[in-house]
Amino acid sequence: MASILLLYGTSEGQTEKIAHHVAGVLTGRGHAVELVHGERLPDSLDLPAYDAVVVGDSIHRSRHHAYVREFVERNREVLNDCVSAFYQVSLSAASERPESVAEVEAIEESFLDETGWTPDHVASFAGAIVYSQYGPLKRFVMRRIARKEGGDTDTSRDYEYTDWGEVTAFAEAVAADLPDLRQT
Ligand SMILES: Cc1cc2nc3c(=O)[nH]c(=O)nc-3n(C[C@H](O)[C@H](O)[C@H](O)COP(=O)(O)O)c2cc1C
């Protein structure tokens, strides 16, 4: 059994939801997964003790969360020494505009370049628009962004764009780097 840390950064919860899905696939393979919010690291966290580390983070205003960036920068060497994977979550990943998709891919590339981390697996997933969780200003801004990106603008409900098949494939790729412990 491999021991895996799955650390995520999230503002509205979609990256956490994706983290749970990834964890489900990995535990289904017999591995032990510890899910940790990047802003609430336990004092006892012993990173080198894990066989693999998966980090997920969402994009807000073209940036990753500072606490995730700090975690990666601080632990770059350990991350580069074990099986590691990174996924980012954004609205633009689901955009109809190729330039928006390219923009979030560039954000992911810069994040990895600047932190010096070279994960074994990298993915970019479409997230969600949760109008019900936004205050009036955020709702206004997100509606404008959604219109530009070809997303949904009816603020009376929430929208999820995540392709769960893509998330499963990412988790399975990570699992393929670890011993398969499923019971047959
Ligand atoms: C205030 C705000 C700013 C955002 N900025 C961006 C952005 O610059 N680019 C983008 O692609 N998505 C942007 N998004 C969309 C989020 O990445 C998307 O909603 C994602 O699902 C959030 O994940 P989380 O719930 O895990 O934080 C923004 C969302 C909000 C609320």
Side-chain angles (χ1 to χ4, degrees):
M1 176 183 79
S3 159
I4 303 161
L5 176 71
L6 207 171
L7 180 142
Y8 57 87
T10 188
S11 292
E12 287 92 32
Q14 191 65 16
T15 308
E16 180 175 18
K17 192 170 171 187
I18 293 171
H20 280 278
H21 188 95
V22 172
V25 173
L26 294 171
T27 51
R29 293 279 195 284
H31 301 301
V33 181
E34 190 170 346
L35 280 158
V36 175
H37 191 300
E39 223 174 9
R40 298 193 284 273
L41 299 183
D43 290 340
S44 58
L45 189 73
D46 179 15
L47 202 57
Y50 295 95
D51 302 302
V53 181
V54 180
V55 175
D57 193 27
S58 58
I59 293 179
H60 286 78
R61 297 186 183 88
S62 303
R63 289 167 175 272
H64 282 285
H65 291 95
Y67 55 85
V68 173
R69 178 179 285 268
E70 279 158 23
F71 171 84
V72 172
E73 279 171 353
R74 205 171 50 246
N75 297 292
R76 172 179 44 228
E77 282 173 24
V78 181
L79 293 172
N80 283 333
D81 274 357
C82 66
V83 173
S84 69
F86 176 62
Y87 69 86
Q88 74 171 20
V89 179
S90 67
L91 190 57
S92 295
S95 177
E96 292 171 346
R97 303 167 70 237
E99 58 269 41
S100 297
V101 177
E103 191 184 311
V104 284
E105 281 171 3
I107 292 171
E108 189 163 54
E109 235 178 86
S110 315
F111 176 81
L112 296 174
D113 274 359
E114 287 161 21
T115 56
W117 180 26
T118 48
D120 301 293
H121 303 278
V122 176
S124 175
F125 299 130
I129 299 181
V130 283
Y131 288 118
S132 64
Q133 286 189 41
Y134 306 148
L137 180 62
K138 221 187 236 189
R139 194 176 305 127
F140 175 76
V141 170
M142 283 306 291
R143 189 167 185 268
R144 273 185 45 188
I145 295 174
R147 184 179 294 128
K148 188 173 121 196
E149 304 295 349
D152 294 285
T153 53
D154 172 1
T155 59
S156 66
R157 48 160 291 209
D158 297 338
Y159 303 90
E160 185 175 75
Y161 305 105
T162 308
D163 179 333
W164 294 105
E166 279 181 17
V167 178
T168 299
F170 167 78
E172 282 174 348
V174 176
D177 276 352
L178 303 163
D180 189 339
L181 302 167
R182 271 176 302 183
Q183 302 295 317
T184 50

